[in-house]
Amino acid sequence: QLQLQESGPGLVKPSETLSLTCTVSGGSISTSSYYWGWIRQPPGKGLECIGNIYYSGSTYYNPSLKSRVTISVDTSKNQFSLTLGSVTAADTAVYYCARHHSSSFYDYWGQGTLVTVSS
Amino acid sequence: QSVLTQPPSVSAAPGQKVTISCSGSSSDIGSNYVSWYQQVPGTAPKLLIYQNSGRPSGVPDRFSGSKSGTSATLGITGLQTGDEADYYCGAWDSSLSAWMFGGGTKLTVL
């Protein structure tokens, strides 16, 4: 059974950089037809796609976040990572990693990790 | 603000049927697949429907999806108290080149 697990700091200061890693187990990240993505959910609000990455390194970023986001992949560790720069309180959210089928759906999700932006 | 529009809430009694709508445009639902997700509070979203009407293994056939034009619908029959959750639709928007989620619909089973 495929499993995804997010890890990283739960507290980030304003203007600094948020960094998270997703570790994939029970399957290879180097699988054709699947991307690997990050989605976030501010407290009490809906879901927002941040972006996806293919194992080859090809990326998609949400246009509204593109200037601050980098997603990278490490196939040797079966991990992919998110960095979000110049964070503000508006970036406080639960961050999920998930697997994205190329025909457009997210089928496996991590449990999510809460990141709070506060001084 | 979501490009995909869902009703904020719906409710029905146990055993009854409910539908949740997701309204979009020609550049999202009208030209791309729709998926649906169930999120029980405090947990991660779970894929319910993919490619408009497909059900992943393990999802009961009480859940169904359909699409017509620029709208999609999630149907749930034989409602159970365990179905109380937030439900989200999702689709690619070709004009924005962005993946979009609907604003979510809270289902209450009275």
Side-chain angles (χ1 to χ4, degrees), chain A residues 39 41 45-49 60 63 96 100 103-107 109-110, chain B residues 33 35 37 39 43-47 50-51 88 92 96-99 101 103:
Chain A
I39 300 102
Q41 185 172 36
K45 295 187 178 181
L47 302 169
E48 179 182 34
C49 175
Y60 152 75
Y96 296 100
H100 184 261
S103 71
S104 284
F105 56 89
Y106 290 94
D107 57 354
W109 296 65
Chain B
Y33 285 124
S35 52
Y37 305 84
Q39 186 179 32
T43 69
K46 169 190 172 184
L47 178 66
Y50 66 94
Q51 293 178 355
Y88 294 90
W92 176 258
L96 297 176
S97 293
W99 174 266
F101 286 105

PDB file of all heavy atoms in Angstrom, chain A residues 39 41 45-49 60 63 96 100 103-107 109-110, chain B residues 33 35 37 39 43-47 50-51 88 92 96-99 101 103:
ATOM      1  N   ILE A  39      -0.563  20.227  -1.728  1.00  0.00           N
ATOM      2  CA  ILE A  39      -1.848  20.913  -1.577  1.00  0.00           C
ATOM      3  C   ILE A  39      -1.888  21.468  -0.151  1.00  0.00           C
ATOM      4  O   ILE A  39      -1.384  20.841   0.773  1.00  0.00           O
ATOM      5  CB  ILE A  39      -3.034  19.946  -1.783  1.00  0.00           C
ATOM      6  CG1 ILE A  39      -2.992  19.331  -3.183  1.00  0.00           C
ATOM      7  CG2 ILE A  39      -4.361  20.644  -1.553  1.00  0.00           C
ATOM      8  CD1 ILE A  39      -2.479  17.930  -3.225  1.00  0.00           C
ATOM      9  N   GLN A  41      -4.259  23.697   3.000  1.00  0.00           N
ATOM     10  CA  GLN A  41      -5.599  24.019   3.484  1.00  0.00           C
ATOM     11  C   GLN A  41      -5.484  24.926   4.706  1.00  0.00           C
ATOM     12  O   GLN A  41      -5.192  24.451   5.813  1.00  0.00           O
ATOM     13  CB  GLN A  41      -6.361  22.747   3.836  1.00  0.00           C
ATOM     14  CG  GLN A  41      -7.805  22.971   4.237  1.00  0.00           C
ATOM     15  CD  GLN A  41      -8.549  21.657   4.395  1.00  0.00           C
ATOM     16  OE1 GLN A  41      -8.011  20.656   4.846  1.00  0.00           O
ATOM     17  NE2 GLN A  41      -9.818  21.663   4.005  1.00  0.00           N
ATOM     18  N   LYS A  45     -10.680  26.528   6.036  1.00  0.00           N
ATOM     19  CA  LYS A  45     -10.919  26.903   4.640  1.00  0.00           C
ATOM     20  C   LYS A  45     -10.758  25.704   3.704  1.00  0.00           C
ATOM     21  O   LYS A  45     -10.560  24.576   4.146  1.00  0.00           O
ATOM     22  CB  LYS A  45      -9.966  28.031   4.241  1.00  0.00           C
ATOM     23  CG  LYS A  45     -10.217  29.318   5.017  1.00  0.00           C
ATOM     24  CD  LYS A  45      -9.385  30.457   4.478  1.00  0.00           C
ATOM     25  CE  LYS A  45      -9.675  31.750   5.224  1.00  0.00           C
ATOM     26  NZ  LYS A  45      -8.886  32.897   4.696  1.00  0.00           N
ATOM     27  N   GLY A  46     -10.841  25.963   2.406  1.00  0.00           N
ATOM     28  CA  GLY A  46     -10.793  24.905   1.415  1.00  0.00           C
ATOM     29  C   GLY A  46      -9.390  24.551   0.966  1.00  0.00           C
ATOM     30  O   GLY A  46      -8.391  25.059   1.475  1.00  0.00           O
ATOM     31  N   LEU A  47      -9.336  23.662  -0.018  1.00  0.00           N
ATOM     32  CA  LEU A  47      -8.071  23.132  -0.528  1.00  0.00           C
ATOM     33  C   LEU A  47      -7.510  24.032  -1.633  1.00  0.00           C
ATOM     34  O   LEU A  47      -8.264  24.557  -2.453  1.00  0.00           O
ATOM     35  CB  LEU A  47      -8.292  21.726  -1.087  1.00  0.00           C
ATOM     36  CG  LEU A  47      -8.867  20.685  -0.118  1.00  0.00           C
ATOM     37  CD1 LEU A  47      -9.281  19.443  -0.886  1.00  0.00           C
ATOM     38  CD2 LEU A  47      -7.834  20.337   0.954  1.00  0.00           C
ATOM     39  N   GLU A  48      -6.172  24.143  -1.649  1.00  0.00           N
ATOM     40  CA  GLU A  48      -5.491  24.918  -2.693  1.00  0.00           C
ATOM     41  C   GLU A  48      -4.307  24.123  -3.208  1.00  0.00           C
ATOM     42  O   GLU A  48      -3.439  23.720  -2.434  1.00  0.00           O
ATOM     43  CB  GLU A  48      -5.018  26.261  -2.159  1.00  0.00           C
ATOM     44  CG  GLU A  48      -4.281  27.096  -3.205  1.00  0.00           C
ATOM     45  CD  GLU A  48      -3.764  28.407  -2.670  1.00  0.00           C
ATOM     46  OE1 GLU A  48      -3.368  28.451  -1.487  1.00  0.00           O
ATOM     47  OE2 GLU A  48      -3.742  29.399  -3.421  1.00  0.00           O
ATOM     48  N   CYS A  49      -4.268  23.889  -4.510  1.00  0.00           N
ATOM     49  CA  CYS A  49      -3.134  23.197  -5.105  1.00  0.00           C
ATOM     50  C   CYS A  49      -1.944  24.143  -5.176  1.00  0.00           C
ATOM     51  O   CYS A  49      -2.064  25.280  -5.628  1.00  0.00           O
ATOM     52  CB  CYS A  49      -3.504  22.715  -6.500  1.00  0.00           C
ATOM     53  SG  CYS A  49      -2.127  21.967  -7.392  1.00  0.00           S
ATOM     54  N   TYR A  60       4.844  21.726 -12.331  1.00  0.00           N
ATOM     55  CA  TYR A  60       3.690  22.614 -12.528  1.00  0.00           C
ATOM     56  C   TYR A  60       3.509  23.384 -11.226  1.00  0.00           C
ATOM     57  O   TYR A  60       3.534  22.809 -10.145  1.00  0.00           O
ATOM     58  CB  TYR A  60       2.412  21.826 -12.832  1.00  0.00           C
ATOM     59  CG  TYR A  60       1.182  22.570 -12.389  1.00  0.00           C
ATOM     60  CD1 TYR A  60       0.715  23.667 -13.110  1.00  0.00           C
ATOM     61  CD2 TYR A  60       0.547  22.255 -11.194  1.00  0.00           C
ATOM     62  CE1 TYR A  60      -0.375  24.390 -12.668  1.00  0.00           C
ATOM     63  CE2 TYR A  60      -0.548  22.981 -10.745  1.00  0.00           C
ATOM     64  CZ  TYR A  60      -1.004  24.044 -11.495  1.00  0.00           C
ATOM     65  OH  TYR A  60      -2.071  24.779 -11.050  1.00  0.00           O
ATOM     66  N   PRO A  63      -0.254  29.350 -10.594  1.00  0.00           N
ATOM     67  CA  PRO A  63       0.198  30.685 -11.004  1.00  0.00           C
ATOM     68  C   PRO A  63       0.203  31.705  -9.867  1.00  0.00           C
ATOM     69  O   PRO A  63       1.043  32.601  -9.845  1.00  0.00           O
ATOM     70  CB  PRO A  63      -0.824  31.065 -12.085  1.00  0.00           C
ATOM     71  CG  PRO A  63      -1.279  29.757 -12.651  1.00  0.00           C
ATOM     72  CD  PRO A  63      -1.298  28.820 -11.478  1.00  0.00           C
ATOM     73  N   TYR A  96      -0.461  19.188   2.638  1.00  0.00           N
ATOM     74  CA  TYR A  96      -0.557  17.780   2.271  1.00  0.00           C
ATOM     75  C   TYR A  96       0.337  17.500   1.068  1.00  0.00           C
ATOM     76  O   TYR A  96       0.416  18.320   0.140  1.00  0.00           O
ATOM     77  CB  TYR A  96      -1.986  17.420   1.864  1.00  0.00           C
ATOM     78  CG  TYR A  96      -3.031  17.535   2.937  1.00  0.00           C
ATOM     79  CD1 TYR A  96      -3.864  18.650   3.011  1.00  0.00           C
ATOM     80  CD2 TYR A  96      -3.223  16.508   3.864  1.00  0.00           C
ATOM     81  CE1 TYR A  96      -4.853  18.746   3.982  1.00  0.00           C
ATOM     82  CE2 TYR A  96      -4.206  16.594   4.837  1.00  0.00           C
ATOM     83  CZ  TYR A  96      -5.014  17.715   4.886  1.00  0.00           C
ATOM     84  OH  TYR A  96      -5.994  17.807   5.849  1.00  0.00           O
ATOM     85  N   HIS A 100      -0.546  12.449  -7.926  1.00  0.00           N
ATOM     86  CA  HIS A 100      -1.468  13.007  -8.912  1.00  0.00           C
ATOM     87  C   HIS A 100      -1.376  12.220 -10.208  1.00  0.00           C
ATOM     88  O   HIS A 100      -0.325  12.167 -10.836  1.00  0.00           O
ATOM     89  CB  HIS A 100      -1.121  14.476  -9.165  1.00  0.00           C
ATOM     90  CG  HIS A 100      -2.053  15.178 -10.087  1.00  0.00           C
ATOM     91  ND1 HIS A 100      -1.791  15.390 -11.418  1.00  0.00           N
ATOM     92  CD2 HIS A 100      -3.275  15.708  -9.866  1.00  0.00           C
ATOM     93  CE1 HIS A 100      -2.801  16.038 -11.981  1.00  0.00           C
ATOM     94  NE2 HIS A 100      -3.715  16.245 -11.053  1.00  0.00           N
ATOM     95  N   SER A 103      -4.089  11.986 -15.627  1.00  0.00           N
ATOM     96  CA  SER A 103      -5.412  12.330 -16.177  1.00  0.00           C
ATOM     97  C   SER A 103      -6.222  13.164 -15.193  1.00  0.00           C
ATOM     98  O   SER A 103      -7.404  13.374 -15.387  1.00  0.00           O
ATOM     99  CB  SER A 103      -6.188  11.067 -16.550  1.00  0.00           C
ATOM    100  OG  SER A 103      -6.604  10.381 -15.381  1.00  0.00           O
ATOM    101  N   SER A 104      -5.537  13.642 -14.157  1.00  0.00           N
ATOM    102  CA  SER A 104      -6.113  14.643 -13.265  1.00  0.00           C
ATOM    103  C   SER A 104      -6.962  14.143 -12.111  1.00  0.00           C
ATOM    104  O   SER A 104      -8.182  14.378 -12.080  1.00  0.00           O
ATOM    105  CB  SER A 104      -6.875  15.722 -14.030  1.00  0.00           C
ATOM    106  OG  SER A 104      -5.974  16.609 -14.623  1.00  0.00           O
ATOM    107  N   PHE A 105      -6.329  13.499 -11.176  1.00  0.00           N
ATOM    108  CA  PHE A 105      -6.930  13.281  -9.869  1.00  0.00           C
ATOM    109  C   PHE A 105      -5.822  12.925  -8.879  1.00  0.00           C
ATOM    110  O   PHE A 105      -4.781  12.397  -9.262  1.00  0.00           O
ATOM    111  CB  PHE A 105      -8.005  12.189  -9.893  1.00  0.00           C
ATOM    112  CG  PHE A 105      -7.543  10.856 -10.422  1.00  0.00           C
ATOM    113  CD1 PHE A 105      -6.987   9.903  -9.583  1.00  0.00           C
ATOM    114  CD2 PHE A 105      -7.695  10.544 -11.765  1.00  0.00           C
ATOM    115  CE1 PHE A 105      -6.581   8.657 -10.072  1.00  0.00           C
ATOM    116  CE2 PHE A 105      -7.293   9.309 -12.270  1.00  0.00           C
ATOM    117  CZ  PHE A 105      -6.726   8.374 -11.419  1.00  0.00           C
ATOM    118  N   TYR A 106      -6.053  13.253  -7.633  1.00  0.00           N
ATOM    119  CA  TYR A 106      -5.126  12.927  -6.556  1.00  0.00           C
ATOM    120  C   TYR A 106      -5.641  11.683  -5.843  1.00  0.00           C
ATOM    121  O   TYR A 106      -6.730  11.711  -5.262  1.00  0.00           O
ATOM    122  CB  TYR A 106      -5.032  14.089  -5.556  1.00  0.00           C
ATOM    123  CG  TYR A 106      -4.337  15.311  -6.096  1.00  0.00           C
ATOM    124  CD1 TYR A 106      -5.059  16.354  -6.678  1.00  0.00           C
ATOM    125  CD2 TYR A 106      -2.949  15.442  -6.021  1.00  0.00           C
ATOM    126  CE1 TYR A 106      -4.422  17.480  -7.168  1.00  0.00           C
ATOM    127  CE2 TYR A 106      -2.302  16.562  -6.516  1.00  0.00           C
ATOM    128  CZ  TYR A 106      -3.050  17.579  -7.084  1.00  0.00           C
ATOM    129  OH  TYR A 106      -2.407  18.687  -7.578  1.00  0.00           O
ATOM    130  N   ASP A 107      -4.872  10.586  -5.914  1.00  0.00           N
ATOM    131  CA  ASP A 107      -5.411   9.337  -5.378  1.00  0.00           C
ATOM    132  C   ASP A 107      -4.828   8.910  -4.027  1.00  0.00           C
ATOM    133  O   ASP A 107      -5.510   8.217  -3.274  1.00  0.00           O
ATOM    134  CB  ASP A 107      -5.294   8.201  -6.401  1.00  0.00           C
ATOM    135  CG  ASP A 107      -3.870   7.951  -6.878  1.00  0.00           C
ATOM    136  OD1 ASP A 107      -2.962   8.724  -6.506  1.00  0.00           O
ATOM    137  OD2 ASP A 107      -3.685   6.979  -7.648  1.00  0.00           O
ATOM    138  N   TRP A 109      -2.913  10.414  -0.476  1.00  0.00           N
ATOM    139  CA  TRP A 109      -2.602  11.626   0.262  1.00  0.00           C
ATOM    140  C   TRP A 109      -1.824  11.288   1.535  1.00  0.00           C
ATOM    141  O   TRP A 109      -2.055  10.247   2.161  1.00  0.00           O
ATOM    142  CB  TRP A 109      -3.890  12.341   0.675  1.00  0.00           C
ATOM    143  CG  TRP A 109      -4.733  12.854  -0.441  1.00  0.00           C
ATOM    144  CD1 TRP A 109      -5.390  12.128  -1.391  1.00  0.00           C
ATOM    145  CD2 TRP A 109      -5.033  14.227  -0.710  1.00  0.00           C
ATOM    146  NE1 TRP A 109      -6.084  12.954  -2.248  1.00  0.00           N
ATOM    147  CE2 TRP A 109      -5.892  14.249  -1.850  1.00  0.00           C
ATOM    148  CE3 TRP A 109      -4.683  15.439  -0.114  1.00  0.00           C
ATOM    149  CZ2 TRP A 109      -6.383  15.446  -2.387  1.00  0.00           C
ATOM    150  CZ3 TRP A 109      -5.171  16.624  -0.649  1.00  0.00           C
ATOM    151  CH2 TRP A 109      -6.014  16.615  -1.782  1.00  0.00           C
ATOM    152  N   GLY A 110      -0.929  12.190   1.925  1.00  0.00           N
ATOM    153  CA  GLY A 110      -0.322  12.097   3.240  1.00  0.00           C
ATOM    154  C   GLY A 110      -1.315  12.564   4.294  1.00  0.00           C
ATOM    155  O   GLY A 110      -2.389  13.065   3.961  1.00  0.00           O
TER     156      GLY A 110
ATOM    157  N   TYR B  33     -11.507  16.348 -17.073  1.00  0.00           N
ATOM    158  CA  TYR B  33     -12.114  15.429 -16.107  1.00  0.00           C
ATOM    159  C   TYR B  33     -12.358  16.105 -14.758  1.00  0.00           C
ATOM    160  O   TYR B  33     -11.621  17.009 -14.349  1.00  0.00           O
ATOM    161  CB  TYR B  33     -11.184  14.231 -15.870  1.00  0.00           C
ATOM    162  CG  TYR B  33     -11.142  13.222 -16.977  1.00  0.00           C
ATOM    163  CD1 TYR B  33      -9.928  12.869 -17.570  1.00  0.00           C
ATOM    164  CD2 TYR B  33     -12.289  12.578 -17.413  1.00  0.00           C
ATOM    165  CE1 TYR B  33      -9.863  11.910 -18.566  1.00  0.00           C
ATOM    166  CE2 TYR B  33     -12.235  11.623 -18.418  1.00  0.00           C
ATOM    167  CZ  TYR B  33     -11.022  11.298 -18.982  1.00  0.00           C
ATOM    168  OH  TYR B  33     -10.972  10.339 -19.967  1.00  0.00           O
ATOM    169  N   SER B  35     -12.911  15.288 -10.563  1.00  0.00           N
ATOM    170  CA  SER B  35     -12.750  14.319  -9.483  1.00  0.00           C
ATOM    171  C   SER B  35     -13.421  14.869  -8.224  1.00  0.00           C
ATOM    172  O   SER B  35     -13.656  16.079  -8.116  1.00  0.00           O
ATOM    173  CB  SER B  35     -11.268  14.012  -9.225  1.00  0.00           C
ATOM    174  OG  SER B  35     -10.516  15.204  -9.049  1.00  0.00           O
ATOM    175  N   TYR B  37     -13.650  14.509  -3.780  1.00  0.00           N
ATOM    176  CA  TYR B  37     -12.907  14.118  -2.586  1.00  0.00           C
ATOM    177  C   TYR B  37     -13.787  14.276  -1.357  1.00  0.00           C
ATOM    178  O   TYR B  37     -14.564  15.237  -1.260  1.00  0.00           O
ATOM    179  CB  TYR B  37     -11.650  14.973  -2.436  1.00  0.00           C
ATOM    180  CG  TYR B  37     -10.781  14.922  -3.671  1.00  0.00           C
ATOM    181  CD1 TYR B  37     -11.036  15.763  -4.750  1.00  0.00           C
ATOM    182  CD2 TYR B  37      -9.754  13.990  -3.783  1.00  0.00           C
ATOM    183  CE1 TYR B  37     -10.289  15.688  -5.900  1.00  0.00           C
ATOM    184  CE2 TYR B  37      -8.999  13.907  -4.940  1.00  0.00           C
ATOM    185  CZ  TYR B  37      -9.277  14.752  -5.999  1.00  0.00           C
ATOM    186  OH  TYR B  37      -8.533  14.659  -7.154  1.00  0.00           O
ATOM    187  N   GLN B  39     -13.614  14.696   2.799  1.00  0.00           N
ATOM    188  CA  GLN B  39     -12.715  15.023   3.897  1.00  0.00           C
ATOM    189  C   GLN B  39     -13.480  15.040   5.214  1.00  0.00           C
ATOM    190  O   GLN B  39     -14.246  15.974   5.474  1.00  0.00           O
ATOM    191  CB  GLN B  39     -12.024  16.373   3.674  1.00  0.00           C
ATOM    192  CG  GLN B  39     -10.961  16.666   4.729  1.00  0.00           C
ATOM    193  CD  GLN B  39     -10.251  17.978   4.510  1.00  0.00           C
ATOM    194  OE1 GLN B  39     -10.827  18.944   4.010  1.00  0.00           O
ATOM    195  NE2 GLN B  39      -8.972  18.029   4.878  1.00  0.00           N
ATOM    196  N   THR B  43      -8.937  15.026   9.129  1.00  0.00           N
ATOM    197  CA  THR B  43      -8.243  13.989   8.367  1.00  0.00           C
ATOM    198  C   THR B  43      -7.933  14.492   6.956  1.00  0.00           C
ATOM    199  O   THR B  43      -8.433  15.529   6.529  1.00  0.00           O
ATOM    200  CB  THR B  43      -9.059  12.692   8.265  1.00  0.00           C
ATOM    201  OG1 THR B  43     -10.198  12.915   7.429  1.00  0.00           O
ATOM    202  CG2 THR B  43      -9.531  12.225   9.637  1.00  0.00           C
ATOM    203  N   ALA B  44      -7.113  13.737   6.227  1.00  0.00           N
ATOM    204  CA  ALA B  44      -6.758  14.105   4.865  1.00  0.00           C
ATOM    205  C   ALA B  44      -7.913  13.801   3.917  1.00  0.00           C
ATOM    206  O   ALA B  44      -8.724  12.906   4.162  1.00  0.00           O
ATOM    207  CB  ALA B  44      -5.514  13.339   4.431  1.00  0.00           C
ATOM    208  N   PRO B  45      -7.999  14.538   2.823  1.00  0.00           N
ATOM    209  CA  PRO B  45      -9.008  14.222   1.807  1.00  0.00           C
ATOM    210  C   PRO B  45      -8.806  12.808   1.261  1.00  0.00           C
ATOM    211  O   PRO B  45      -7.697  12.280   1.231  1.00  0.00           O
ATOM    212  CB  PRO B  45      -8.756  15.261   0.715  1.00  0.00           C
ATOM    213  CG  PRO B  45      -8.096  16.400   1.427  1.00  0.00           C
ATOM    214  CD  PRO B  45      -7.242  15.748   2.470  1.00  0.00           C
ATOM    215  N   LYS B  46      -9.915  12.223   0.798  1.00  0.00           N
ATOM    216  CA  LYS B  46      -9.906  10.879   0.224  1.00  0.00           C
ATOM    217  C   LYS B  46     -10.578  10.938  -1.139  1.00  0.00           C
ATOM    218  O   LYS B  46     -11.642  11.540  -1.289  1.00  0.00           O
ATOM    219  CB  LYS B  46     -10.667   9.918   1.144  1.00  0.00           C
ATOM    220  CG  LYS B  46     -10.968   8.560   0.555  1.00  0.00           C
ATOM    221  CD  LYS B  46     -11.919   7.779   1.450  1.00  0.00           C
ATOM    222  CE  LYS B  46     -12.389   6.488   0.793  1.00  0.00           C
ATOM    223  NZ  LYS B  46     -13.397   5.764   1.622  1.00  0.00           N
ATOM    224  N   LEU B  47      -9.943  10.328  -2.136  1.00  0.00           N
ATOM    225  CA  LEU B  47     -10.520  10.298  -3.482  1.00  0.00           C
ATOM    226  C   LEU B  47     -11.784   9.450  -3.498  1.00  0.00           C
ATOM    227  O   LEU B  47     -11.758   8.277  -3.111  1.00  0.00           O
ATOM    228  CB  LEU B  47      -9.497   9.736  -4.476  1.00  0.00           C
ATOM    229  CG  LEU B  47      -9.973   9.587  -5.916  1.00  0.00           C
ATOM    230  CD1 LEU B  47     -10.243  10.946  -6.552  1.00  0.00           C
ATOM    231  CD2 LEU B  47      -8.935   8.812  -6.743  1.00  0.00           C
ATOM    232  N   TYR B  50     -13.138   9.628  -9.728  1.00  0.00           N
ATOM    233  CA  TYR B  50     -12.131  10.130 -10.654  1.00  0.00           C
ATOM    234  C   TYR B  50     -12.665  10.055 -12.078  1.00  0.00           C
ATOM    235  O   TYR B  50     -13.574   9.268 -12.370  1.00  0.00           O
ATOM    236  CB  TYR B  50     -10.819   9.349 -10.514  1.00  0.00           C
ATOM    237  CG  TYR B  50     -10.912   7.892 -10.933  1.00  0.00           C
ATOM    238  CD1 TYR B  50     -10.576   7.489 -12.205  1.00  0.00           C
ATOM    239  CD2 TYR B  50     -11.344   6.916 -10.027  1.00  0.00           C
ATOM    240  CE1 TYR B  50     -10.665   6.169 -12.591  1.00  0.00           C
ATOM    241  CE2 TYR B  50     -11.440   5.584 -10.394  1.00  0.00           C
ATOM    242  CZ  TYR B  50     -11.103   5.213 -11.680  1.00  0.00           C
ATOM    243  OH  TYR B  50     -11.197   3.895 -12.054  1.00  0.00           O
ATOM    244  N   GLN B  51     -12.114  10.856 -12.953  1.00  0.00           N
ATOM    245  CA  GLN B  51     -12.515  10.875 -14.364  1.00  0.00           C
ATOM    246  C   GLN B  51     -14.043  10.939 -14.506  1.00  0.00           C
ATOM    247  O   GLN B  51     -14.647  10.151 -15.235  1.00  0.00           O
ATOM    248  CB  GLN B  51     -11.940   9.663 -15.091  1.00  0.00           C
ATOM    249  CG  GLN B  51     -10.416   9.722 -15.203  1.00  0.00           C
ATOM    250  CD  GLN B  51      -9.816   8.500 -15.870  1.00  0.00           C
ATOM    251  OE1 GLN B  51     -10.513   7.536 -16.194  1.00  0.00           O
ATOM    252  NE2 GLN B  51      -8.516   8.522 -16.067  1.00  0.00           N
ATOM    253  N   TYR B  88     -15.290  17.978  -1.863  1.00  0.00           N
ATOM    254  CA  TYR B  88     -14.669  18.912  -2.798  1.00  0.00           C
ATOM    255  C   TYR B  88     -14.645  18.312  -4.204  1.00  0.00           C
ATOM    256  O   TYR B  88     -14.330  17.140  -4.368  1.00  0.00           O
ATOM    257  CB  TYR B  88     -13.225  19.218  -2.388  1.00  0.00           C
ATOM    258  CG  TYR B  88     -13.085  19.960  -1.088  1.00  0.00           C
ATOM    259  CD1 TYR B  88     -12.959  19.278   0.120  1.00  0.00           C
ATOM    260  CD2 TYR B  88     -13.045  21.347  -1.058  1.00  0.00           C
ATOM    261  CE1 TYR B  88     -12.825  19.950   1.325  1.00  0.00           C
ATOM    262  CE2 TYR B  88     -12.904  22.046   0.139  1.00  0.00           C
ATOM    263  CZ  TYR B  88     -12.800  21.339   1.322  1.00  0.00           C
ATOM    264  OH  TYR B  88     -12.661  22.021   2.506  1.00  0.00           O
ATOM    265  N   TRP B  92      -8.898  20.506 -13.785  1.00  0.00           N
ATOM    266  CA  TRP B  92      -7.871  21.371 -14.395  1.00  0.00           C
ATOM    267  C   TRP B  92      -8.573  22.495 -15.149  1.00  0.00           C
ATOM    268  O   TRP B  92      -9.596  22.273 -15.797  1.00  0.00           O
ATOM    269  CB  TRP B  92      -7.014  20.549 -15.344  1.00  0.00           C
ATOM    270  CG  TRP B  92      -5.983  21.334 -16.097  1.00  0.00           C
ATOM    271  CD1 TRP B  92      -6.039  21.745 -17.395  1.00  0.00           C
ATOM    272  CD2 TRP B  92      -4.744  21.808 -15.585  1.00  0.00           C
ATOM    273  NE1 TRP B  92      -4.904  22.435 -17.722  1.00  0.00           N
ATOM    274  CE2 TRP B  92      -4.089  22.491 -16.627  1.00  0.00           C
ATOM    275  CE3 TRP B  92      -4.106  21.727 -14.344  1.00  0.00           C
ATOM    276  CZ2 TRP B  92      -2.828  23.088 -16.474  1.00  0.00           C
ATOM    277  CZ3 TRP B  92      -2.857  22.311 -14.198  1.00  0.00           C
ATOM    278  CH2 TRP B  92      -2.240  22.978 -15.242  1.00  0.00           C
ATOM    279  N   LEU B  96      -6.537  29.023 -17.255  1.00  0.00           N
ATOM    280  CA  LEU B  96      -5.667  29.519 -16.185  1.00  0.00           C
ATOM    281  C   LEU B  96      -4.400  28.682 -16.063  1.00  0.00           C
ATOM    282  O   LEU B  96      -3.460  29.080 -15.390  1.00  0.00           O
ATOM    283  CB  LEU B  96      -6.403  29.489 -14.843  1.00  0.00           C
ATOM    284  CG  LEU B  96      -7.644  30.376 -14.698  1.00  0.00           C
ATOM    285  CD1 LEU B  96      -8.293  30.153 -13.343  1.00  0.00           C
ATOM    286  CD2 LEU B  96      -7.275  31.845 -14.877  1.00  0.00           C
ATOM    287  N   SER B  97      -4.387  27.508 -16.728  1.00  0.00           N
ATOM    288  CA  SER B  97      -3.300  26.533 -16.549  1.00  0.00           C
ATOM    289  C   SER B  97      -3.075  26.282 -15.063  1.00  0.00           C
ATOM    290  O   SER B  97      -1.962  26.422 -14.539  1.00  0.00           O
ATOM    291  CB  SER B  97      -2.013  27.014 -17.205  1.00  0.00           C
ATOM    292  OG  SER B  97      -2.151  27.053 -18.595  1.00  0.00           O
ATOM    293  N   ALA B  98      -4.163  25.928 -14.416  1.00  0.00           N
ATOM    294  CA  ALA B  98      -4.115  25.735 -12.962  1.00  0.00           C
ATOM    295  C   ALA B  98      -5.073  24.625 -12.560  1.00  0.00           C
ATOM    296  O   ALA B  98      -6.146  24.473 -13.150  1.00  0.00           O
ATOM    297  CB  ALA B  98      -4.482  27.019 -12.236  1.00  0.00           C
ATOM    298  N   TRP B  99      -4.660  23.849 -11.550  1.00  0.00           N
ATOM    299  CA  TRP B  99      -5.542  22.866 -10.965  1.00  0.00           C
ATOM    300  C   TRP B  99      -6.422  23.568  -9.947  1.00  0.00           C
ATOM    301  O   TRP B  99      -5.933  24.312  -9.103  1.00  0.00           O
ATOM    302  CB  TRP B  99      -4.749  21.749 -10.283  1.00  0.00           C
ATOM    303  CG  TRP B  99      -5.631  20.808  -9.544  1.00  0.00           C
ATOM    304  CD1 TRP B  99      -5.962  20.854  -8.217  1.00  0.00           C
ATOM    305  CD2 TRP B  99      -6.355  19.713 -10.076  1.00  0.00           C
ATOM    306  NE1 TRP B  99      -6.840  19.847  -7.898  1.00  0.00           N
ATOM    307  CE2 TRP B  99      -7.097  19.127  -9.022  1.00  0.00           C
ATOM    308  CE3 TRP B  99      -6.458  19.156 -11.349  1.00  0.00           C
ATOM    309  CZ2 TRP B  99      -7.923  18.023  -9.213  1.00  0.00           C
ATOM    310  CZ3 TRP B  99      -7.273  18.054 -11.532  1.00  0.00           C
ATOM    311  CH2 TRP B  99      -7.990  17.497 -10.477  1.00  0.00           C
ATOM    312  N   PHE B 101      -9.706  23.442  -7.072  1.00  0.00           N
ATOM    313  CA  PHE B 101     -10.669  22.754  -6.224  1.00  0.00           C
ATOM    314  C   PHE B 101     -11.885  23.659  -6.045  1.00  0.00           C
ATOM    315  O   PHE B 101     -11.755  24.890  -6.029  1.00  0.00           O
ATOM    316  CB  PHE B 101     -10.078  22.473  -4.832  1.00  0.00           C
ATOM    317  CG  PHE B 101      -9.059  21.369  -4.801  1.00  0.00           C
ATOM    318  CD1 PHE B 101      -7.705  21.651  -4.691  1.00  0.00           C
ATOM    319  CD2 PHE B 101      -9.450  20.046  -4.838  1.00  0.00           C
ATOM    320  CE1 PHE B 101      -6.767  20.636  -4.650  1.00  0.00           C
ATOM    321  CE2 PHE B 101      -8.523  19.012  -4.786  1.00  0.00           C
ATOM    322  CZ  PHE B 101      -7.170  19.319  -4.704  1.00  0.00           C
ATOM    323  N   GLY B 103     -14.980  25.149  -3.660  1.00  0.00           N
ATOM    324  CA  GLY B 103     -14.917  25.694  -2.319  1.00  0.00           C
ATOM    325  C   GLY B 103     -15.305  24.726  -1.214  1.00  0.00           C
ATOM    326  O   GLY B 103     -15.071  24.987  -0.041  1.00  0.00           O
TER     327      GLY B 103
END
